[in-house]
Amino acid sequence: MNEKRRYQRYSINDDRNTIAQAKIEVDGESVQFVDFSVGSLCVLSKKPFSSGIKRISVEFRDRGKIELYGRIARVKEEENMWRIGIDLTEIYKLDTLRKV
C-alpha cells in the first residue's frame, strides 16, 4: 500500500497514558482518541462534525491538559461511529515541517 501521510502517526498506549486516562473533547463533545502526528489527529465520535475550525481539548488526568485548534479534514462513517481527521497544519503553520 502506498503511504500518503506527511508525518509519522503515534498512538497513546503505554501504562501512564492509556486512552482510558485521557479525556478528549472536540468543541466540547467527548470523542475517543485513535492516533496523532505532528500535523493532525484522528478521533472517533458518536456524531459527525461539520467542516471548519474546532477547539480540541486533551486532558491527561494529573499529567496536564493541552488546548488545540484544528480544521476538520475528513469525516468517515465506520459502523456506528464517525472517524474524524483533524488537520493542525494550517492553524500552527507547520508547513516547514513537511516531509520532502
Side-chain angles (χ1 to χ4, degrees), residues 16-27:
R16 292 183 318 217
N17 293 323
T18 62
I19 290 171
Q21 293 176 317
K23 179 182 177 185
I24 299 129
E25 294 181 346
V26 174
D27 273 358

Side-chain angles (χ1 to χ4, degrees), residues 17-93:
N17 293 323
T18 62
I19 290 171
Q21 293 176 317
K23 179 182 177 185
I24 299 129
E25 294 181 346
V26 174
D27 273 358
E29 295 285 331
S30 290
V31 296
Q32 182 181 351
F33 176 82
V34 176
D35 61 24
F36 70 97
S37 75
V38 171
S40 65
L41 65 117
C42 183
V43 297
L44 290 176
S45 173
K46 292 181 181 178
K47 68 171 202 157
F49 284 91
S50 60
S51 61
I53 304 299
K54 306 296 180 193
R55 181 179 47 98
I56 301 113
S57 172
V58 183
E59 186 175 349
F60 294 99
R61 289 191 183 175
D62 62 343
R63 302 245 211 217
K65 181 178 184 176
I66 56 174
E67 298 280 340
L68 301 166
Y69 287 89
R71 182 184 57 80
I72 300 296
R74 288 172 301 287
V75 178
K76 181 180 176 186
E77 188 172 11
E78 292 186 2
E79 297 180 17
N80 62 344
M81 299 289 281
W82 296 87
R83 182 175 291 264
I84 313 290
I86 303 172
D87 179 28
L88 305 173
T89 60
E90 292 177 20
I91 304 297
Y92 297 101
K93 307 295 184 207

